[in-house]
Amino acid sequence: MNWNTILIRYGEMSLKGKNKSKFIRKLKANIKAALSDLGTVTMRAERDRMFIYAEKPEELDRAVEILPSIFGIQSFSPIVICEPTLEVIKETSLKVLGKTETAGKTFKVDVKRADKRFPLNTGELQQELGGHVLRTFPDLIVQMKKPEILLYVEIQHEAAYISSHTYKGAGGMPVGSNGHSLLLLSGGIDSPVAGYMMMKRGVSFDAIHFASPPFTSDLAKEKVEDIVRQLTKFGAVIRLHVIPFTELQQAIVKQVPSNLSMTTTRRMMMKVAEQVRKDTNSLGLITGDSLGQVASQTLESLTAINEVTNTPILRPLIAMDKLEIIQIAEKIGTYDISIRPYDDCCTVFTPPSNKTKPQVEKVAYYESFQEFDDMVAEVASQRVTTIPSKQTEEDFEDLL
Amino acid sequence: MYFDHSATTKPDERVLRTFVDASESYFANPASLHAEGKRTEKLLERARTQLLETIGLGLTEGVFTSGGTESNNLAILGYVYANQHKGRHLLTTRIEHPSVLNVFRELEKQNFIVDYLAVDEEGRISLDELQAKLQKDTILVSIMHVNNEIGTIQPIEECAKIIHSSSRAVFHSDCVQSFGKLSLTDFADGPDLVSLSAHKIYGIKNSGFLAYRHTIRLQPIVFGGGQEHTLRSGTVSVPHAAALAKAARLLVEEVDMEQFRQWRNELVEFFSELDECKVLAPNASAPYILSVAFARITGEIAINFLQQQGMIVSTSSACSSKNSDVSHVIEAIHIPQEFQKGVIRISLGKHQTNEEIEQLKVAVRQLVELIRKGVGK
C-alpha cells in the first residue's frame, strides 16, 4: 500500500471571509514553489482543504518533509483514497495501519461521514472498523483520549479518505498574503529570526545587506546569501540587495563624533533602506531589534534612528530575550550560519563607546555638515540585487 | 597473490588521485577564515555528508578520525564518559577487536561493570543472552558487525531491536570489516554509533570515521583547538576525508558480493574435503573472509609455506599475529585443541581472480601432502 495523496488542512486563513480564495491561491502557489523539484506532483485546492497527488511514493515522502515549514498549513495527513464501500474501507484501513508499528500502541478510530447516504452511521462504522482492526492487530490498546495512532476515515460522496497519521503544520498565514516588506539583514542571529516571524504573519520581503568591502569579505556576503537561502525554505522567493557601504561609513567616521557615529550609521542605513523600499514597492521595514540588547536598541536610540523615516518599522523581536531568539534561530536553521565568524559592516568601524541615550538634535547637527542624502541616493543606486536560490557552489564531483 | 584484504587493502588508484588532488588544491586549513579555508571546509563537509549518506541508518553526525581504532575508542570512551551518570554497566562480546576489548578492560579498571557475551562455535552471540544481560543501568552495548578473524556476521538489526526496545543503552557497532561490503542501509533498526576505517576499503591508511545519531552526546578523548565540533582536536586532514568518502562510494557502488560468495563457497567445499583442515564459521560468516584451521601444524608454518608459493595469507588477525598465544576469538569459539594453533585467514579482495583461487588450492594441496608426510608433527 502506497500513499498517493496528502490532505492539507488550512490554518488561520480558514477563518477569513471574503478574501479566503486569495489566501488559498497564495498558499497553493507557495506549496507549488516549495515542491517544484518533485516531478509528478499535482494539486487541487478546495475551500476547506487542499490535496497533493504524486505518482511516485518517494515524492510524497519528500513532500512530507517539506510541508511542515510552509506557513498557512494547520496540519496535513498522507491519505489513501479508496472506494466508499464498507468492505474496501475495512481492507484499506488494515493496509494503512500495516505501515505503522502497532505493538503496545494506543489506538482510536475517528470517522467523519460527509455522505449521509452511507449505510452505517458514524458510531456504527467506528465500532465496525475498530473491531475489524483489533482482530488483525490484537496488540493495539483502544484509548479515546490522545491515542498514539488515530485511524481517520472520512466518507465523501465519491470516495473515502483514510489516514493513520497527522503531521503538524507551521500555522500562520501563507507568505505573501499580507503584503511585502524589506528586511534589514545583518548576518547576525536576530535579523533572520525577525524575517521568519514576519513570514509567519504572511509577509513576504526583499532583504537588504550592507557590505563594507574590502574590510568585509565575500565570505560575509556569502553567509548572508546562505541565510536568505535558508529563509527561502519557508515558502517565498527573497531578493537580496547588497549595498556598498564603505565610503558612506568612512564619511560618517570622519564627520560625526565617535560616540554618536553608530547612531548616524543606523540612520543612514534606514535612509538607504527607505530608498530601496520605495524601489521595490515594499510597505514596511523589518529589523531584528530587541529592546535594550545593545546601545542602538535602547528606546532613545530607536527614537533617534526612527526619526529619518515615516515607514512602519516592524520589529517582531522587540520584546523577546536573546535565548528565545536563539532557540528560534536554531529551529529554523539559521543559527549555524549566523555564528560563522566573519566581520560585518557594523563591526568594521566600531567606535570605542556608544551613546545609549543619543540626542536627536545633536546627531542631526553633526550630520548637517555633510551632504549625506546625496551619498545615500548614490549607494542605494549602486546596490547589487540577486536571488540566492539553489546552491551554485563547487560540487566536488571529480574528487568525491 | 594477495589474500590478506582484511588486514589491509591496496588503495584504489582513483582514491589516490583524490588524495593527491585534494592535497594540491585543498591544502588550506578548513578552520581558517579566508576564502581558501572556506573552500576546503566545504569539501570537508561535502565529504562528511556523502559518507553519512553512504552509511545511512539515520546517522547524521560524524567525526573523521585516524582509523578504526580511534573511532572505536572515541565511540566507547566518548559515550561512556559523557553519560556515566546514567549508569555504569556495559556490554560487549568476547570476540571484539582489541581496539574495543582493551577499551572495556580499561573501563573495568575505572569501576565500570562490563559483561562479555559468549559466542557459539561459529562465533555468533546469542540474542537471548543479549536480552538477559541488558540491565536498567546498561548505557552502552558494543557488538561488531563482521569479525575480523573468522568473518562471523552478527545479527546487528536484531541486536538493535532488542537493545532499543528493552533498555536505555545506545548501540555501537564496529563495522570496520563489513562497511561497503555488507549493506547497513537495509536495516530497519540499526546501531547508534558506527566505526569505519579507510584502509580496509581500498582507501588511505590512518583515516577513519565515527558516524553517530544526532541525539548522542560524546566527550572528546583528544583535546586541543576544538576541531570537529570539539570531538577531535587537531587540524583536520581534508585530503584523507575526501579520499575516505570516495573510497566508500566506489566500494558500495562496485562491490560484487556474488563473486565473493562464489569463491568462498568453492573454498569452503575444497577445505571441507580435507581431513587436515577445519573451516571456522562456515555458515555464519561474511563471504570475503574464510578462516581455516590446520591440524598438527601452526598457522605460521602454513603461512610461510604458502608464501614460498607466492601466496600471501595471514594468521587469524594481523593485529594479534605477533602474539604467539591462541587468539581470544579462536579461544572463544572452542575448536578442538589440535586445530587451535593452526589457524590461517584467507580474505578476498575486489581484484582477485579465479586463477588465483585455483592456485591457492594447488598450494594448499601441496601443504596438506606435506602434513600427511609428517611436517610439523
Side-chain angles (χ1 to χ4, degrees):
Chain A
M1 168 68 39
N2 288 322
W3 310 113
N4 46 19
T5 309
I6 293 175
L7 181 155
I8 290 175
R9 301 172 193 87
Y10 302 148
E12 205 178 318
M13 61 194 236
S14 57
L15 304 172
K16 301 288 169 198
K18 274 185 279 176
N19 289 324
K20 191 165 165 180
S21 60
K22 197 185 88 186
F23 286 95
I24 293 172
R25 269 203 305 279
K26 195 77 217 172
L27 179 63
K28 192 177 171 188
N30 290 350
I31 294 176
K32 201 172 171 186
L35 302 182
S36 62
D37 284 351
L38 310 182
T40 66
V41 171
T42 53
M43 300 167 66
R44 180 166 63 89
E46 291 180 1
R47 209 167 153 67
D48 297 310
R49 57 232 187 133
M50 207 177 281
F51 295 90
I52 299 179
Y53 311 94
E55 284 162 26
K56 300 180 187 161
E58 63 269 23
E59 289 178 341
L60 277 190
D61 290 346
R62 184 82 190 100
V64 167
E65 288 169 21
I66 295 170
L67 289 173
S69 53
I70 297 175
F71 291 119
I73 297 175
Q74 190 60 39
S75 66
F76 64 93
S77 305
I79 59 170
V80 174
I81 298 182
C82 69
E83 203 185 307
T85 62
L86 184 58
E87 272 321 298
V88 177
I89 290 172
K90 277 171 147 181
E91 188 187 327
T92 311
S93 298
L94 292 184
K95 285 182 184 167
V96 164
L97 285 173
K99 283 178 75 103
T100 326
E101 184 66 41
T102 55
K105 295 268 174 71
T106 53
F107 160 78
K108 174 188 171 183
V109 182
D110 193 7
V111 170
K112 189 179 165 199
R113 202 176 54 126
D115 181 3
K116 303 296 182 204
R117 298 171 307 177
F118 195 80
L120 299 182
N121 69 27
T122 305
E124 287 165 350
L125 184 54
Q126 231 148 269
Q127 286 218 331
E128 180 70 29
L129 274 179
H132 185 63
V133 166
L134 287 174
R135 278 190 290 278
T136 311
F137 300 101
D139 45 4
L140 283 172
I141 303 156
V142 175
Q143 181 177 307
M144 289 303 126
K145 278 188 184 168
K146 293 190 181 169
E148 287 165 286
I149 299 171
L150 181 72
L151 179 71
Y152 179 78
V153 177
E154 180 177 329
I155 298 178
Q156 294 284 350
H157 285 266
E158 73 291 355
Y161 306 145
I162 302 179
S163 78
S164 65
H165 194 84
T166 296
Y167 295 87
K168 202 169 169 318
M173 315 268 281
V175 176
S177 63
N178 228 347
H180 192 76
S181 284
L182 181 67
L183 170 70
L184 281 78
L185 194 60
S186 65
I189 295 166
D190 300 348
S191 46
V193 175
Y196 169 82
M197 302 287 280
M198 293 318 299
M199 283 170 129
K200 188 166 186 172
R201 296 311 305 153
V203 176
S204 61
F205 53 78
D206 279 23
I208 182 173
H209 176 71
F210 296 89
S212 306
F215 306 109
T216 57
S217 65
D218 279 352
L219 295 173
K221 203 175 82 190
E222 207 174 284
K223 171 177 163 181
V224 172
E225 287 169 354
D226 285 347
I227 289 174
V228 169
R229 279 192 194 100
Q230 186 61 25
L231 289 175
T232 303
K233 293 183 182 160
F234 299 97
V237 174
I238 302 169
R239 281 189 298 179
L240 173 66
H241 309 274
V242 176
I243 306 288
F245 203 49
T246 319
E247 264 182 57
L248 187 45
Q249 271 189 301
Q250 283 168 326
I252 294 168
V253 171
K254 211 168 124 198
Q255 187 56 48
V256 180
S258 73
N259 59 359
L260 287 175
S261 67
M262 183 271 304
T263 309
T264 295
T265 305
R266 301 280 160 174
R267 282 159 62 94
M268 295 307 149
M269 284 178 171
M270 276 298 164
K271 286 186 177 189
V272 175
E274 179 65 24
Q275 191 61 52
V276 176
R277 180 193 70 76
K278 284 180 194 153
D279 295 348
T280 55
N281 293 320
S282 302
L283 296 169
L285 296 171
I286 306 167
T287 74
D289 292 319
S290 162
L291 192 63
Q293 198 181 103
V294 291
S296 64
Q297 294 174 1
T298 61
L299 269 181
E300 289 82 356
S301 282
L302 291 175
T303 305
I305 295 162
N306 242 48
E307 203 225 14
V308 301
T309 173
N310 288 322
T311 301
I313 299 184
L314 308 169
R315 298 184 172 96
L317 312 187
I318 198 72
M320 291 174 80
D321 65 40
K322 194 75 185 180
L323 282 177
E324 290 174 278
I325 297 171
I326 287 174
Q327 270 171 11
I328 299 174
E330 282 175 338
K331 192 183 90 185
I332 65 175
T334 57
Y335 182 76
D336 285 340
I337 310 172
S338 290
I339 58 171
R340 287 185 206 158
Y342 312 115
D343 278 317
D344 60 32
C345 71
C346 303
T347 53
V348 169
F349 298 97
T350 313
S353 73
N354 290 315
K355 277 240 183 277
T356 52
K357 297 182 178 179
Q359 287 175 294
V360 181
E361 299 76 23
K362 276 196 179 168
V363 178
Y365 169 76
Y366 290 118
E367 288 172 7
S368 68
F369 295 97
Q370 175 88 30
E371 294 296 337
F372 276 117
D373 285 349
D374 293 349
M375 295 186 82
V376 164
E378 176 74 15
V379 298
S381 71
Q382 285 172 356
R383 68 178 180 269
V384 178
T385 303
T386 54
I387 300 177
S389 51
K390 298 262 143 89
Q391 297 284 35
T392 50
E393 63 187 40
E394 292 170 83
D395 56 13
F396 304 115
E397 211 173 285
D398 299 341
L399 281 169
L400 297 176
Chain B
M1 278 167 265
Y2 186 76
F3 297 97
D4 195 16
H5 289 88
S6 291
T8 196
T9 51
K10 182 182 173 190
D12 186 293
E13 273 175 29
R14 294 164 294 176
V15 175
L16 283 175
R17 189 78 257 153
T18 286
F19 186 76
V20 171
D21 289 350
S23 300
E24 278 172 358
S25 309
Y26 296 87
F27 61 85
N29 191 324
S32 295
L33 277 187
H34 45 65
E36 283 305 310
K38 186 74 193 171
R39 273 179 73 233
T40 314
E41 191 198 358
K42 277 189 182 161
L43 174 58
L44 175 68
E45 293 315 315
R46 187 62 67 80
R48 196 189 316 272
T49 313
Q50 181 177 310
L51 204 43
L52 288 167
E53 278 168 8
T54 312
I55 297 167
L57 291 173
L59 307 183
T60 56
E61 314 297 313
V63 185
F64 286 100
T65 66
S66 66
T69 295
E70 190 189 324
S71 295
N72 284 337
N73 272 250
L74 177 58
I76 300 165
L77 290 178
Y79 187 80
V80 167
Y81 287 155
N83 297 278
Q84 49 188 316
H85 57 282
K86 295 180 186 164
R88 299 186 74 81
H89 181 247
L90 312 168
L91 204 47
T92 187
T93 78
R94 288 198 187 143
I95 60 163
E96 294 299 309
H97 188 267
S99 61
V100 169
L101 277 183
N102 288 334
V103 178
F104 282 113
R105 300 257 151 79
E106 191 56 38
L107 285 166
E108 280 181 303
K109 288 184 204 156
Q110 298 171 32
N111 296 322
F112 286 91
I113 314 294
V114 186
D115 268 325
Y116 298 87
L117 299 174
V119 294
D120 62 17
E121 66 280 7
E122 298 236 317
R124 278 244 201 184
I125 60 157
S126 135
L127 293 173
D128 290 340
E129 193 192 4
L130 169 65
Q131 177 83 61
K133 289 251 166 82
L134 281 170
Q135 300 178 8
K136 229 167 100 186
D137 66 338
T138 311
I139 56 171
L140 175 92
V141 181
S142 184
I143 298 173
M144 70 195 329
H145 189 191
V146 166
N147 182 269
N148 52 309
E149 298 194 21
I150 53 175
T152 306
I153 306 173
Q154 302 297 349
I156 292 298
E157 190 177 11
E158 288 79 356
C159 290
K161 276 188 192 149
I162 290 172
I163 294 163
H164 291 149
S165 64
S166 51
S167 80
R168 297 163 68 201
V170 301
F171 179 22
H172 165 249
S173 185
D174 170 359
C175 293
V176 165
Q177 286 294 354
S178 66
F179 177 70
K181 294 163 231 165
L182 300 188
S183 177
L184 304 173
T185 44
D186 299 340
F187 293 170
D189 196 359
D192 307 295
L193 300 117
V194 164
S195 302
L196 315 179
S197 172
H199 78 106
K200 309 282 192 193
I201 55 169
Y202 313 94
I204 314 264
K205 287 169 184 58
N206 223 315
S207 167
F209 194 65
L210 174 66
Y212 57 100
R213 215 172 286 292
H214 72 282
T215 46
I216 299 270
R217 207 163 66 81
L218 298 173
Q219 192 169 304
I221 55 173
V222 174
F223 297 88
Q227 287 88 347
E228 293 287 271
H229 299 288
T230 74
L231 278 179
R232 186 181 189 258
S233 287
T235 301
V236 183
S237 170
V238 178
H240 274 105
L244 173 53
K246 175 121 174 187
R249 179 178 69 76
L250 289 177
L251 187 59
V252 168
E253 282 174 9
E254 297 174 0
V255 71
D256 181 2
M257 288 310 288
E258 249 338 285
Q259 178 67 76
F260 283 136
R261 262 185 213 113
Q262 223 174 310
W263 282 330
R264 187 174 180 282
N265 290 344
E266 221 174 283
L267 286 171
V268 168
E269 203 177 319
F270 168 76
F271 280 106
S272 304
E273 284 167 6
L274 303 171
D275 293 339
E276 292 74 10
C277 294
K278 181 175 169 50
V279 177
L280 309 182
N283 301 313
S285 110
Y288 44 89
I289 298 179
L290 181 72
S291 266
V292 184
F294 289 96
R296 288 180 281 164
I297 58 167
T298 62
E300 192 181 335
I301 291 174
I303 285 168
N304 291 341
F305 177 81
L306 292 173
Q307 182 163 270
Q308 275 170 28
Q309 316 294 311
M311 263 124 293
I312 296 176
V313 302
S314 72
T315 47
S316 48
S317 128
C319 301
S320 55
S321 59
K322 301 263 163 65
N323 306 336
S324 57
D325 283 334
V326 175
S327 97
H328 65 286
V329 178
I330 304 304
E331 260 176 11
I333 59 172
H334 301 297
I335 59 171
Q337 188 98 40
E338 57 190 304
F339 287 101
Q340 278 189 1
K341 296 203 167 175
V343 179
I344 64 162
R345 178 182 67 181
I346 297 158
S347 48
L348 306 173
K350 61 178 179 177
H351 297 305
Q352 225 85 54
T353 62
N354 287 325
E355 203 190 6
E356 288 177 346
I357 305 289
E358 285 312 312
Q359 293 195 31
L360 180 65
K361 289 190 212 165
V362 171
V364 169
R365 262 190 220 108
Q366 291 172 1
L367 175 62
V368 169
E369 275 312 305
L370 291 175
I371 297 175
R372 284 177 188 157
K373 284 178 189 159
V375 168
K377 213 166 186 177

